[in-house]
C-alpha cells in the first residue's frame, strides 16, 4: 500500500530551526546528523526491500545500518566531507553527465537542544563540459535547486520535514526549477516529495542504481521536478488549509535571524 501524507496541523512549538552554509556546522553537529541519517536510511533500506527487494527475508538491523553507512559515504567523516563540499559527491554518484554545484544550504531542526531533523539542498547544473555548466549557473532556467535530503527523527513533531523544505526553498530563486530523487519502493519518500508539489519527470526514465552497495541490491532511481515557486506555493497552501500558516511564517522569520550550529 502506498503511503500518503495527511494534511495535519503543524506542531512546531519549541522547535528551533537553523539555516546556513553546511561548512558552518560543527564536527559534533555532524556526528548527530550522521547518527540520525544512518538510522533513517537503514529504515528506508528495510522498507524498500519489503516492497521491491528480491530477498526472501528482510535485512537484519546490522545489515541495514551497514547499507545506510555505504549510502552516506562509508563513514561519518566522509558524510561530513560530502555535505561540506558536494563536489566530493561526483566520485560516488552514477550520473550520465558531470555535475557542478553551488550554494549548498543546510537546515537543522532542534527541540530541547536535540537535533530532530535536517535538510540539505544546493544548486546543481549538468553537462559534459565545465564551461557549459558554469554558464548554466549564471541563469535560472537550467540551474536546479536540488533537494538532496530531508531527514526527520521518528519522534519529530508533525510538519518538521515540510517546514525544513520550506526554509530551504527560501534560499533559492523562485524562478528556478527544482529536482529531487527517490528510489522505487521508498513509498514514504515518494509521498513526501509529491506532497511538496513535485511530479515525476516523464522525460527521464528511471535508472537502475546500487545506492546501498553492490551486494545490497539494485533499485530504480526516480527523478522528480517542480519549480521553487510551485513548491513554496504548495507548502503555503498546505499550511493554510491545516491552520498552520502563521506558525510556518514564524518559523521562517526566526530562522532568518539564527545561525547554523
Amino acid at each position: 500500500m502506498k503511503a500518503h501524507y495527511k494534511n495535519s496541523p503543524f506542531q512546531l512549538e519549541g522547535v528551533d530551526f537553523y539555516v546556513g552554509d553546511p561548512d558552518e556546522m560543527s564536527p559534533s553537529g555532524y556526528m548527530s546528523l550522521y547518527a540520525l541519517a544512518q538510522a533513517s536510511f537503514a529504515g528506508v533500506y528495510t522498507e524498500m526491500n519489503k516492497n521491491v527487494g528480491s530477498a526472501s527475508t528482510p535485512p537484519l538491523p546490522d545489515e541495514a545500518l551497514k547499507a545506510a553507512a555505504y549510502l552516506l559515504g562509508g563513514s561519518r567523516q566522509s558524510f561530513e566531507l560530502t555535505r561540506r563540499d558536494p563536489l566530493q559527491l561526483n566520485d560516488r554518484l552514477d550520473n550520465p553527465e558531470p555535475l557542478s554545484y553551488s550554494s549548498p544550504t543546510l537546515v537543522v531542526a532542534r527541540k530541547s537542544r536535540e537535533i530532530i531533523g535536517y535538510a540539505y539542498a544546493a544548486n546543481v547544473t549538468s553537462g559534459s563540459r565545465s564551461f557549459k555548466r558554469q554558464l548554466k549557473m549564471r541563469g535560472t532556467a537550467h540551474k536546479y535547486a536540488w533537494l538532496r535530503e530531508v531527514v526527520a527523527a521518528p519522534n519529530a513533531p508533525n510538519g518538521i520535514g515540510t517546514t525544513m523544505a520550506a526554509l530551504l526553498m527560501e534560499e533559492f530563486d523562485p524562478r528556478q526549477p527544482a529536482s529531487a530523487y527517490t528510489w522505487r519502493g521508498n513509498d514514504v519518500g515518494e509521498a513526501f516529495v509529491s506532497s511538496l508539489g513535485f511530479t515525476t519527470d516523464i522525460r527521464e526514465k528511471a535508472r537502475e542504481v546500487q545506492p546501498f552497495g553492490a551486494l545490497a541490491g539494485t533499485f530504480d532511481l526516480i527523478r522528480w521536478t517542480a519549480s521553487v515557486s510551485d513548491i513554496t506555493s504548495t507548502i503555503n497552501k498546505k499550511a493554510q488549509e491545516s491552520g498552520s500558516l502563521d506558525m510556518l511564517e514564524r518559523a521562517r522569520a526566526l530562522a532568518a535571524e539564527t545561525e547554523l550550529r
Side-chain angles (χ1 to χ4, degrees):
M1 179 181 295
K2 290 285 186 179
H4 297 279
Y5 268 76
K6 295 181 180 179
N7 195 11
S8 303
F10 294 9
Q11 298 172 339
L12 308 182
E13 296 86 353
V15 180
D16 297 314
F17 296 93
Y18 303 84
V19 184
D21 188 318
D23 207 35
E24 299 172 1
M25 191 70 175
S26 66
S28 62
Y30 270 109
M31 290 181 64
S32 297
L33 296 190
Y34 180 75
L36 179 60
Q38 187 179 23
S40 177
F41 284 111
V44 169
Y45 175 66
T46 301
E47 176 202 8
M48 289 164 56
N49 270 276
K50 290 179 180 177
N51 292 338
V52 298
S54 59
S56 57
T57 57
L60 296 173
D62 284 351
E63 294 173 338
L65 286 172
K66 288 179 181 178
Y70 179 91
L71 170 75
L72 296 171
S75 67
R76 200 275 304 166
Q77 291 80 7
S78 182
F79 170 82
E80 179 178 339
L81 176 64
T82 54
R83 271 69 186 170
R84 291 188 185 279
D85 180 10
L87 282 173
Q88 302 293 329
L89 283 170
N90 281 341
D91 292 335
R92 294 187 56 84
L93 296 179
D94 181 21
N95 289 300
E97 293 183 312
L99 302 175
S100 291
Y101 306 91
S102 70
S103 304
T105 303
L106 180 66
V107 175
V108 175
R110 292 179 182 265
K111 187 170 185 178
S112 300
R113 303 181 67 180
E114 177 187 357
I115 293 178
I116 60 170
Y118 79 91
Y120 187 106
N123 288 318
V124 61
T125 59
S126 63
S128 58
R129 298 191 177 185
S130 176
F131 80 92
K132 289 186 177 181
R133 299 195 302 273
Q134 296 309 313
L135 283 175
K136 291 178 180 179
M137 280 293 183
R138 297 178 183 178
T140 56
H142 302 287
K143 179 173 66 177
Y144 281 80
W146 171 42
L147 185 61
R148 177 183 181 181
E149 293 168 332
V150 179
V151 177
N155 62 343
N158 189 63
I160 294 297
T162 301
T163 301
M164 292 191 296
L167 295 177
L168 282 177
M169 291 302 106
E170 293 287 305
E171 304 300 309
F172 298 92
D173 191 312
R175 298 170 295 174
Q176 281 184 251
S179 63
Y181 293 84
T182 61
W183 305 289
R184 197 179 308 281
N186 179 11
D187 292 347
V188 173
E190 291 185 0
F192 177 70
V193 295
S194 178
S195 77
L196 299 179
F198 283 94
T199 58
T200 53
D201 189 344
I202 60 175
R203 298 170 300 173
E204 185 171 321
K205 294 182 178 179
R207 293 189 290 119
E208 290 189 346
V209 295
Q210 296 175 325
F212 298 98
L215 299 179
T218 300
F219 300 92
D220 286 343
L221 182 70
I222 303 169
R223 187 172 190 259
W224 300 71
T225 56
S227 69
V228 170
S229 61
D230 284 347
I231 295 169
T232 299
S233 296
T234 299
I235 292 173
N236 287 343
K237 183 179 179 181
K238 285 179 58 179
Q240 185 169 17
E241 290 177 348
S242 65
S244 308
L245 187 57
D246 287 347
M247 189 172 293
L248 176 61
E249 293 298 349
R250 283 198 300 273
R252 284 179 169 132
L254 292 173
E257 300 173 0
T258 59
E259 295 182 356
L260 190 64
R261 58 183 177 87

